[in-house]
Each structure stands twice: as C-alpha cells, then as structure tokens.
Amino acid sequence: MKLIDGKKVSEEIYNDLKIKVEQLKQQGQKVPHLAAVLVGNNPASQTYVNAKVKTCHEVGYGSTLIKLDENITEEDLLKEIYDLNNNPEIDGFIVQLPLPKHINENKVIEAIRPSKDVDGFHPVNLGRMMLNQPAFIPATPMGIMKLLEAAKIETQGKHCVVIGRSHIVGSPMSILMAKNSYPGNCTVTLCHSKTKNIEEFTKQADIIILAIGKPYFLKKEMIKEGVVVIDVGINRVTSTTTKSGFKLAGDADFDDIVSKCSHITPVPGGVGPMTIASLMYNTLLASQKNIYK
Ligand code: NAP
C-alpha cells in the first residue's frame, strides 16, 4: 500500500510558485494578486479565508481580504463584485461560500467575470471544462487530478466510482475522470444518496473518489483488492486520544480498508492541502492570462 501524500505534493507546487514569483519580480513584472470576499462571521469560512490569505503571503502573491457585514444587501455585494471585476490590480478573486440565506448564491457566482473566477464555479468555466476548452477547474477536483498524476496512478480504461455529486467536488470530478486525456479516460460511475446497493459499484471500482461528508462510510467489504481510494471527506469526530476531544476523519474507514488499497489518501494530509495549492495555481494562470487570452 502506498500513501498519497498531499502535503508533500502541495509543497512542491508552492515551491514552483515561489520560483515563478521571484522570476516575475526580477523581470519587474507584477506578482499575482488574489482577493477574497468574506460575508458574515461563519467561523469555518473565516478559517478557510485566513488560510488562503496566509498562503498568498507565503508564496509571495498580493492579497486583499474584503470583509462584509452579514446583513449586506445582495445589491451591495454585487457592487463589490463589479469593482473587483474592473480592478486591474486583482487577477482573480473568490467569494467564500456559503453566503447568508438572503443572498442568491447563483446570482453572485454568475456576476464574477469568468476570467477572474479562480474558484472555477462560474457556469462559463464549468461549461468550458465540460467542452475540453481552457477553463479554471474547481480547486478540489484539480487538486485530486494533480495527486493522481503525482502518484502516477494508471487511469486509462479503469473503472472510477465517484461518490457524491456536489457542484464543487463530485460532479466536476466525474467529468474530469472521463476526459480524453491523462489522468482521465476512465469509465465513470457517479453515485449519490439515492444510489441503490452502492457496494455493487464500489466492489467493481479500480479507483474510488469519495466526497459525501459521512465519516467511516467506506468499509473493506465494499472494495476489491488493489483499489485506489481518494478520500475528500473532512469530518469532525469525537476522539479520546486528542486534547480537544475531536479529530478529523475522512469518508473512508482508513484503518479498516488500508491493507486492501494499492494507494490511499490520508485525512488529514491528503486532498485537503491540495485545494488551496490549486487555488494558488489558478491565480497564477489568471495573472498570466493563460486561460482567457
Ligand atoms: P455536499 O455538497 O454535502 O454533497 C454530498 C454528496 O454526497 C451529495 O451528492 C449526496 O447525495 C452524497 N451523499 C450523501 N450521503 C451519501 C450516502 N450515504 N451515500 C452516497 N452518497 C451520499 O458535499 P461536498 O461539499 O461535496 O463535500 C463532501 C465532503 O468533502 C465533506 O466532508 C466536505 O467537508 C469535504 N470537502 C473537502 C474538501 C477538501 O479540500 N478536502 C473540499 C470540499 C469538500 P445527494 O446529492 O443525493 O444529496
């Protein structure tokens, strides 16, 4: 069994990005600049946004954090987005989700200029991804593709079972794994909460990508020998071995399945670190006008 080390792969990406930033500085060019919009005081959202801003500093990017009141009107939020779209200093920006209930998330995402949509959530980017055109790929799926590449996982002709169909992970992942290029060319089955007898699919899978938010869901009776398991889940579970009384667990029962896997991502330290690394990579692409010329 081989552990796919997302922390190591993400550090390699950061080292490449730092070199790129140094080169830009030496050439007297502008460094990439990411802005993040945070609405309200959701503690998880604050943590995610702070981690993104901190990573910008670490790789040498410019960053702008725009904190807005929980009660901001949709119209005022759209004005902020309009300003970011038209600010030449900002190469790319994200609006941290979820947004307060009175704001229409789709309307906000659609207001982001696709060439600055480094989260890759805009319908234009998702459509371009689907059509095999240059596009910003959502960060978590892109991170998973980079992990598969780094671990040299064979994908052509394999059966990949994706569990979970969210717009940010499962659905784009299923499209990417079926693409006519590496790491793709899989036969893909997309499972979700209404799938009957899910183990009939997981038992046939060469690669399983799990993104459901259910701790310890995947057990050894559900998989075949030699499977590759990519565990996206991040679940807080109670623990008697940590000071806080909590620990993070994936959607797979790691200890139960590990001996049957050829490769597996740990939680934490697997897919998680790749998400911000991919966002940083997208921001570089945005600053270099690589996707939208
Ligand atoms: P989500 O929007 O809550 O979607 C969950 C998906 O799982 C849905 O499609 C749901 O089916 C399906 N599902 C739920 N229970 C199931 C079951 N028992 N059997 C089969 N399918 C089931 O989730 P998400 O945003 O994609 O996140 C999933 C997990 O990944 C969470 O733990 C989240 O914290 C984690 N995550 C991690 C990262 C990272 O950077 N590592 C990034 C994003 C998310 P229906 O569509 O039928 O409801």
Side-chain angles (χ1 to χ4, degrees):
M1 184 285 302
K2 283 196 180 133
L3 211 57
I4 304 180
D5 186 345
K7 199 159 186 317
K8 182 164 165 265
V9 179
S10 68
E11 272 157 16
E12 286 164 9
I13 293 173
Y14 292 136
N15 286 338
D16 287 348
L17 294 177
K18 282 179 196 163
I19 292 169
K20 190 74 204 162
V21 167
E22 271 318 304
Q23 285 169 347
L24 289 169
K25 280 186 183 161
Q26 276 168 19
Q27 292 160 3
Q29 292 184 42
K30 175 182 169 309
V31 297
H33 193 124
L34 175 73
V37 178
L38 176 65
V39 182
N41 307 309
N42 177 326
S45 293
Q46 281 176 338
T47 308
Y48 293 142
V49 165
N50 289 339
K52 290 167 190 175
V53 170
K54 186 168 163 255
T55 308
C56 281
H57 290 299
E58 283 166 7
V59 295
Y61 287 6
S63 67
T64 300
L65 174 56
I66 300 170
K67 285 187 177 178
L68 301 170
D69 191 85
E70 177 87 23
N71 297 315
I72 188 169
T73 62
E74 188 176 281
E75 196 187 346
D76 285 345
L77 176 57
L78 291 172
K79 272 188 208 140
E80 292 283 348
I81 290 173
Y82 177 87
D83 289 345
L84 289 167
N85 282 340
N86 292 298
N87 182 343
E89 275 306 302
I90 308 288
D91 296 300
F93 65 97
I94 59 149
V95 178
Q96 186 66 44
L97 303 178
L99 291 170
K101 289 211 165 29
H102 66 280
I103 294 175
N104 180 334
E105 248 171 45
N106 286 338
K107 212 165 165 185
V108 170
I109 290 170
E110 285 183 35
I112 299 171
R113 185 176 292 165
S115 61
K116 293 195 175 191
D117 169 41
V118 285
D119 254 343
F121 294 162
H122 192 286
V124 166
N125 278 311
L126 289 170
R128 288 172 70 133
M129 178 188 82
M130 178 98 197
L131 297 169
N132 248 334
Q133 294 173 5
F136 289 114
I137 309 291
T140 303
M142 187 205 254
I144 293 171
M145 301 300 272
K146 287 188 180 296
L147 281 183
L148 293 171
E149 276 180 51
K152 299 190 170 58
I153 303 295
E154 237 184 82
T155 58
Q156 183 161 319
K158 303 288 179 189
H159 183 192
C160 176
V161 172
V162 179
I163 314 183
R165 57 177 164 185
S166 71
H167 294 157
I168 60 166
V169 190
S171 290
M173 209 55 243
S174 67
I175 291 165
L176 292 168
M177 294 308 289
K179 266 192 162 200
N180 182 12
S181 57
Y182 184 75
N185 278 319
C186 284
T187 303
V188 177
T189 301
L190 179 58
C191 299
H192 44 75
S193 71
K194 307 291 185 296
T195 302
K196 287 185 181 151
N197 303 326
I198 206 162
E199 57 287 348
E200 278 182 17
F201 300 101
T202 53
K203 268 185 198 159
Q204 291 175 29
D206 302 304
I207 301 169
I208 298 176
I209 302 175
L210 267 171
I212 60 177
K214 298 271 181 297
Y216 310 124
F217 175 84
L218 192 73
K219 305 279 186 194
K220 71 166 178 274
E221 313 78 70
M222 298 170 72
I223 59 174
K224 71 176 182 188
E225 198 74 45
V227 65
V228 175
V229 173
I230 305 292
D231 189 352
V232 185
I234 301 179
N235 306 290
R236 219 165 86 114
V237 296
T238 50
S239 165
T240 49
T241 56
T242 60
K243 238 185 188 176
S244 64
F246 291 99
K247 66 173 183 175
L248 293 182
D251 289 343
D253 189 339
F254 185 94
D255 294 337
D256 190 48
I257 68 171
V258 66
S259 62
K260 259 182 128 175
C261 299
S262 72
H263 296 77
I264 183 168
T265 57
V267 177
V271 176
M274 294 301 294
T275 297
I276 297 186
S278 301
L279 176 68
M280 294 298 137
Y281 183 74
N282 272 348
T283 305
L284 176 72
L285 296 181
S287 74
Q288 303 204 312
K289 315 277 180 273
N290 268 0
I291 305 284
Y292 292 84
K293 311 280 176 204

